[in-house]
Amino acid sequence: MTVELQHIRIARERIAGKVERTPTVLSQSLSDRVGHPVHLKLEHHQTTGAFKLRGASNAIAALSAEEKSRGVVAASTGNHGRALAHAAKLEDMRAVICMSKLVPQNKLDAIRRLGVEVHIIGNSQDDAQREVDRLVEEEGLVMLPPFDHPDIVAGQGTLGLEIMEQVPDAVAVLVPLSGGGLASGMAAAVKGVSPRTKVIGISMARGAAMKASLDAGRPVQVEELPTLADSLGGGIGLDNRLTFAMCRDLLDDVVLLSEDEIAAGIRHAYEQEREIVEGAGAVGIGALLAGKVEVSGPTVLILSGRNIDMGLHRRIVCGEPSVRERAA
């Protein structure tokens, strides 16, 4: 199973009018720092505050009438749940979002405001997924997972089409990496249009499941730990059918960041770019600031989400980046 450029183009037609075509802007501060143009894809300006709306909208649009009547369910670290809840509400569908206790309260509150059912289960995405499996078995809901699903991946890939239209000479795209839905879809789109453009996954050092799996040559389980990049937490599934193989085959490199490096990315986005982003949305900036990616030409960073607790954001901007706050 894989997702190719043709599937992503179909997804773009399906979600037209349901998601924003977000702008890409030049970062003068980062360009000056690395000596080449650095562009920021402002996907955190998306309707639900993160790229996840693309995949959720495409997956729901692809459902049959019978499947829509049953409703949908998903495990989420927050942004996928919010996107799925938003897309389901537009179709007047039932949606149930399952999350662990590690999901930040602000993301939980945003989902509940959309009027969907929320189940808080355990201390990991794996715990939340077990509740999803129960609801599929007992209530017949349709599972739309946050990443390992062809329609989700194709929807996220539409972001790559936009980037290559906006920055056609890009030599590299830095993409936040978690379960691989965004990274694999992005890579399929970018390399389908421009095979020489590098796609580099960026994740946190604390519990990077995809990186550990790629290193092992197979999906493996890792401990889920609190991190400023909470949206990148969770496993990839030991039975991963799609995104592991696509990331293995399409990503040119994977870079891991410390918590301090993620915090530096959040601060830079606010102080220099005047943008509020969550930890996952700041990892591309953090990687450049830390010198962990070699820039050889026009480069695009994806600011993937803005759904950060503003109290935490204020503490980070004021120089208190410790993950201990998230672990408390």
Side-chain angles (χ1 to χ4, degrees), residues 267 270-271 311-321:
R267 279 196 297 272
Y270 182 72
E271 294 171 352
L312 176 62
H313 186 272
R314 182 174 59 254
R315 292 191 291 276
I316 291 170
V317 169
C318 291
E320 303 173 34

Side-chain angles (χ1 to χ4, degrees), residues 232-303:
L232 303 184
I236 71 167
L238 296 181
D239 59 348
N240 187 288
R241 302 174 304 146
L242 179 63
T243 60
F244 169 76
M246 290 185 69
C247 287
R248 178 195 63 204
D249 296 343
L250 295 174
L251 292 183
D252 294 280
D253 196 8
V254 175
V255 171
L256 301 183
L257 302 186
S258 70
E259 295 301 305
D260 285 347
E261 289 165 345
I262 296 168
I266 294 173
R267 279 196 297 272
H268 178 94
Y270 182 72
E271 294 171 352
Q272 300 296 324
E273 315 298 342
R274 297 296 186 261
E275 300 289 348
I276 294 174
V277 295
E278 59 188 275
V283 293
I285 296 176
L288 286 195
L289 295 177
K292 290 189 170 180
V293 174
E294 182 179 349
V295 179
S296 60
T299 298
V300 181
L301 316 181
I302 301 171
L303 308 192

